[in-house]
Amino acid sequence: MSGGRAERAGGVRRRPAPARAGAGGAVRDLMSTSVVAVSVEAGFTEIAAVLRREGVNALPVVDADRRVLGMVSAVDLVVKLADPDPEEGGVFEEYRSRAERRKCRAAVARELMTSPAVTTAAEASARDAAELMRRHRVGRLPVVDAEDRLLGIVSRLDLLAVYTVPDAVLRDRVRRELAGGDYPPSGVEVAVHGGEVFLDGRVPRRSDILRLAHAVRAVEGVVGVRCRLDHDHDDLAFPAPPAEGDLGPSSRARDYGIVEPRRETRR
């Protein structure tokens, strides 16, 4: 990249591809590989034009070797429109106000960007990427290699692809999780409807129901879990005195989506 020009990596721009049947939730399977980035010397008007042309809210800022140095967003630019002639702040001015004032006076990406950028690796899981977005309150993550060079970008919309796999594929994922873990899958039937997993059957202990529900919820793509399981032994019948606000095993079971099987009352 030379000068302040924006550059696209990966050739022709494409829409994010839907998750492949059977594909895992790795960022590399979900990210867009055609990414527009700007150099640290890109000017204010150029950045504004690229953001509008590409229909995105943020762009990676890279050096000559395409190492990600920061992110510049529409928010960084709009502060100038909101306050085109900022006055000097006082000694006790809040840090956020000082930062916004500096951006009002900025003219190039180096001065406008937020640095360091929050990035992720291609090998990271969709769940890890979603947690980064939630924690840092960002909607897009540059995907980088071990040298921080730009490989792609993943957005919130890209991550939602994990919820678009067919129910049959999701059912197979859940079955593999239960078969590979320390759970009692024998006697447990798995059904999936609209991303919601239904577990039917019988398990040896009541605590197995809690463990099964927890394991199934951890499978990427699962929207919810409904446990309609019975048990042979209630190993939660005599718990320790509940802590304040904890109503005991029955309450915890309901939190996990467990539906107590109906039992016939003999007369």
Side-chain angles (χ1 to χ4, degrees):
M1 181 182 301
S2 62
R5 296 181 58 189
E7 180 178 304
R8 187 189 303 281
V12 180
R13 190 183 185 203
R14 63 173 178 82
R15 292 182 180 273
R20 302 188 307 274
V27 167
R28 71 165 65 257
D29 297 322
L30 305 171
M31 69 182 186
S32 296
T33 55
S34 178
V35 188
V36 175
V38 294
S39 77
V40 291
E41 300 306 325
F44 190 104
T45 56
E46 178 189 355
I47 297 169
V50 174
L51 288 170
R52 282 180 49 80
R53 184 185 72 227
E54 300 299 322
V56 296
N57 290 318
L59 296 167
V61 180
V62 298
D63 64 12
D65 296 318
R66 293 196 63 77
R67 285 190 292 263
V68 177
L69 303 178
M71 290 287 286
V72 62
S73 71
V75 174
D76 297 324
L77 275 63
V78 167
V79 292
K80 184 183 289 290
L81 184 62
D83 191 6
D85 188 21
E87 298 178 357
E88 291 297 328
V91 175
F92 300 104
E93 183 181 29
E94 293 182 358
Y95 172 79
R96 181 175 179 180
S97 297
R98 291 199 302 272
E100 288 185 353
R101 198 178 306 282
R102 285 196 298 271
K103 295 200 177 198
C104 285
R105 295 191 290 265
V108 294
R110 184 193 305 277
E111 302 164 341
L112 287 161
M113 70 182 183
T114 299
S115 180
V118 181
T119 63
T120 188
E123 298 76 19
S125 69
R127 179 170 288 110
D128 290 339
E131 170 58 20
L132 277 174
M133 290 181 183
R134 184 193 65 81
R135 188 189 320 150
H136 295 279
R137 299 181 181 180
V138 296
R140 294 158 64 84
L141 296 173
V143 184
V144 298
D145 63 13
E147 303 298 326
D148 288 332
R149 289 187 292 263
L150 186 63
L151 299 176
I153 201 157
V154 65
S155 68
R156 290 190 182 111
L157 288 178
D158 294 326
L159 295 183
L160 290 181
V162 302
Y163 294 111
T164 64
V165 297
D167 286 344
V169 173
L170 186 56
R171 182 188 62 218
D172 290 342
R173 287 185 187 174
V174 172
R175 286 175 173 171
R176 286 195 299 270
E177 172 65 23
L178 298 185
D182 184 21
Y183 313 111
S186 58
V188 176
E189 295 294 328
V190 178
V192 179
H193 301 288
E196 190 170 18
V197 178
F198 296 83
L199 302 178
D200 290 278
R202 193 174 189 88
V203 294
R205 298 173 298 275
R206 188 180 182 189
S207 60
D208 292 331
I209 302 176
L210 299 177
R211 294 169 58 233
L212 283 167
H214 181 75
V216 173
R217 273 210 177 91
V219 177
E220 287 182 351
V222 170
V223 175
V225 182
R226 299 284 287 175
C227 292
R228 301 179 296 200
L229 297 165
D230 206 346
H231 54 275
D232 296 324
H233 172 62
D234 190 351
D235 56 341
L236 302 177
F238 302 99
E244 184 178 353
D246 186 354
L247 301 181
S250 296
S251 175
R252 291 195 294 274
R254 287 193 296 271
D255 290 342
Y256 276 91
I258 296 172
V259 180
E260 294 284 354
R262 293 183 179 179
R263 292 181 172 81
E264 295 182 1
T265 302
R266 294 183 179 179
R267 298 183 179 177

